[in-house]
Amino acid sequence: MARRGSYAKGVAKREEILDAALEVIAREGFRKTSVREIATAANLSQTGLLHHFASKNELFTEILRRRDEVDAVNASTDPEARFIDTFPMIIRHNSKVPGLVQLYVSLATEAPDPEHPAHKFFTERFEGFREELVAEIQEGQRSGEFNTRLNPELAANSLLALADGLQTQWLLTPTLDMAAHIEAAIESWRSDPKP
Amino acid sequence: MARRGSYAKGVAKREEILDAALEVIAREGFRKTSVREIATAANLSQTGLLHHFASKNELFTEILRRRDEVDAVNASTDPEARFIDTFPMIIRHNSKVPGLVQLYVSLATEAPDPEHPAHKFFTERFEGFREELVAEIQEGQRSGEFNTRLNPELAANSLLALADGLQTQWLLTPTLDMAAHIEAAIESWRSDPKP
DNA sequence: GTCTATATTCAGATAGAC
DNA sequence: GTCTATCTGAATATAGAC
């Protein structure tokens, strides 16, 4: 903050690195990818890159954070759009970028460790999505869109867990249609049609 | 097979190792646990243990396979019991052994690699559970227990994916009640009560 | 801020004695 | 079958020059 532009410059460089990382992981996949490989993709040495991040784990966590930002922008230009409605599109997009899905499940697996930077990221991410979903389900129940027998908290958790589990299954069996399963789950929430 | 007892003895020793491994992982947790730690728990050196397994990855895959065997026996003494009915109990039991859950999600994350021994294990495991579930759902639809609007394949995949995703969430947030979510999902399959 | 070079750590695999 | 000892390789992290 003290010197002119230094802060913004640092942020810009970080984003440049993160976007290069996203691009290379989406293109080449992610399987125990090393910091060096990301550094090469960003035209930097390993140390040049780690100058901008505290550690390997922070780097990979920030890549995921950046991915969420990009996805949120791409999913909908309408700031009023519901999460419920954009979620299937995000999932469908995931099936275009297996490397990023692999990165996501890998870090999710490491996230239980409270020392890991991904711990905070996944905890907050889950909480945020969960609260948003609960609110949307409750609103849908008031409007008559969703079945009132649905428990909003259970349904919200289950949809998010379903999405995570589908990604694991899909990496193993890429013929699985993740988005179709998500859509069917949301469909099952709807009120029975009046006879 | 040629010499008396040698084959059976080898199998017995493997099982002894696997049971020791299950015990220590359940008790101490699993976080990038090394072969050496498993070896120590089984009163063996690293090489003494790896004499019985081709590699680290095969060892850990076999630990999971053994876990499934033990779980299947413990879940129900009745060979006629449906998977649908024993599944919530298995999940409930999982919440007593976080180390084994951690091992499971860790290997599941590595399983997409076709060279990894866990690849075959998870593929077959998923297929087996899926087929069993599809058959039980169809039978339940014929008997009137389950809603006939349910797509059996989608529902079966979704229940298995839900279970996987819940484990990831639960490792992050151990207050989450995995079994309650599984039970709610199965409950949602039931036919609407006649008015 | 970025680099080269190196220290450090660690784990899996292997050789060969008993 | 089991051990001790060692090899090998990988990858992060650090020191210090430019």
Side-chain angles (χ1 to χ4, degrees), chain A residues 137-154:
Chain A
I137 292 168
Q138 288 172 333
E139 174 57 30
Q141 287 178 323
R142 279 192 289 273
S143 74
E145 179 182 7
F146 296 138
N147 194 320
T148 51
R149 279 180 303 169
L150 205 62
N151 177 319
E153 280 81 12
L154 277 181

Side-chain angles (χ1 to χ4, degrees), chain B residues 9-76:
Chain B
K9 185 115 179 269
V11 167
K13 184 64 181 179
R14 268 171 73 108
E15 291 202 348
E16 185 186 317
I17 292 169
L18 294 176
D19 287 337
L22 282 173
E23 197 275 326
V24 71
I25 292 172
R27 179 163 40 83
E28 313 230 314
F30 176 85
R31 183 181 299 171
K32 302 234 174 280
T33 302
S34 66
V35 173
R36 269 186 180 81
E37 293 171 72
I38 304 294
T40 304
N43 280 105
L44 243 58
S45 70
Q46 185 225 26
T47 43
L49 191 158
L50 277 189
H51 175 75
H52 300 276
F53 299 91
S55 68
K56 168 204 168 184
N57 286 338
E58 196 206 283
L59 166 64
F60 284 119
T61 303
E62 290 304 308
I63 294 174
L64 274 190
R65 200 187 298 278
R66 178 77 179 149
R67 200 264 294 240
D68 274 356
E69 288 173 20
V70 174
D71 274 8
V73 170
N74 288 346
S76 172

Side-chain angles (χ1 to χ4, degrees), chain A residues 35-36 46-47 55-56:
Chain A
V35 173
R36 265 187 182 82
Q46 186 227 25
T47 43
S55 68
K56 166 202 167 183

Side-chain angles (χ1 to χ4, degrees), chain A residues 18-29:
Chain A
L18 295 175
D19 287 338
L22 283 174
E23 196 275 325
V24 70
I25 292 171
R27 179 162 41 83
E28 314 231 313

